[in-house]
Amino acid sequence: MLSIERGDELVGAEKVFGFFREQLLSGDLKTGDRLTGERELSLSLGVSRPVLREALRSLAMLGFLEIRHGKGAYVKAADVAVLRDFFTFSLTQQPDVLDDVMQARIAIECQAIRLACERAGDSDLTRISNCLSKLMDTLDDPEAGGEADFAFHLALVEAGHSPVLLTLYEAISELMKRSHKERRQLTVSVPGIRDYLVDAHREVFLSILSRDPDQSEQKLRDHFAIGDEFRRKSYIVAYSKAAGPQRKD
């Protein structure tokens, strides 16, 4: 009996979620709008009021609704932090997730930099320039350098002025920050890494200033490809040191 009741609750909650989703997609509900009254909504959806209340509380916990006691439920602007936490919790359970996140990052940034060539304003360019300066000041610090590296690429995506691309990028940001720091720690002792970090990011920035989308995308892809090569070299250096000199009998 309990399992049947629980099943009914899940079906009822899905009805509420489906209604809310459809209303947002159709534009019938917007940020700041008040939902239909509890009694009317429960009748129209064919769910009990306790099930409706629980579903609305779940939506409020996810940051999609604000429940004002005595006044009703109101639509809230979604908080990207919720999406970021969801992606982090979900993706970290998968093997080799950082490599896969890197591929998603490349796809987002390559489109964003093309848009940045068309849409970036003076404030965007100033922000990217400041991030580049910070990156150059933290070349010997994997922790701070990783954060500066991430900030540079985030500023690049922001300059594309695409809310969807930025939301997706921010959703995987925690994993990318970790990736940036780990890559810096791996490559900090590889010969030539300092010059590469400065030159590669400078070239990407200059390509945006040139307003040439094809060139900018290619510079960015070159940056990623050379970065992978330095990471490969870091493994060679690390394992060569671990092996040590061979003893002669």
Side-chain angles (χ1 to χ4, degrees), residues 36 70 78 85 100 110 144 151 224 247:
T36 305
D85 290 342
D100 204 24
C110 283
F224 289 134
R247 190 180 68 179

Side-chain angles (χ1 to χ4, degrees), residues 215-226:
Q215 182 193 56
S216 292
E217 181 180 347
Q218 189 57 55
K219 289 289 184 182
L220 189 59
R221 289 189 181 277
D222 291 344
H223 167 40
F224 289 134
I226 298 172

Side-chain angles (χ1 to χ4, degrees), residues 13-63:
E14 183 52 40
K15 285 184 179 180
V16 179
F17 296 152
F19 164 79
F20 186 69
R21 183 168 56 243
E22 181 56 36
Q23 292 291 295
L24 289 174
L25 287 172
S26 67
D28 291 333
L29 275 179
K30 299 180 180 64
T31 301
D33 287 351
R34 180 181 180 277
L35 263 62
T36 305
E38 188 178 282
R39 181 174 180 277
E40 183 180 346
L41 191 55
S42 65
L43 287 173
S44 65
L45 295 177
V47 300
S48 68
R49 293 176 76 170
V51 168
L52 175 64
R53 291 191 197 107
E54 188 62 33
L56 295 182
R57 276 196 291 267
S58 295
L59 289 169
M61 289 179 64
L62 291 171

Side-chain angles (χ1 to χ4, degrees), residues 224-245:
F224 289 134
I226 298 172
D228 286 339
E229 179 63 17
F230 269 100
R231 185 169 60 152
R232 185 187 67 81
K233 290 180 179 178
S234 73
Y235 287 127
I236 294 174
V237 170
Y239 282 101
S240 295
K241 288 180 179 179

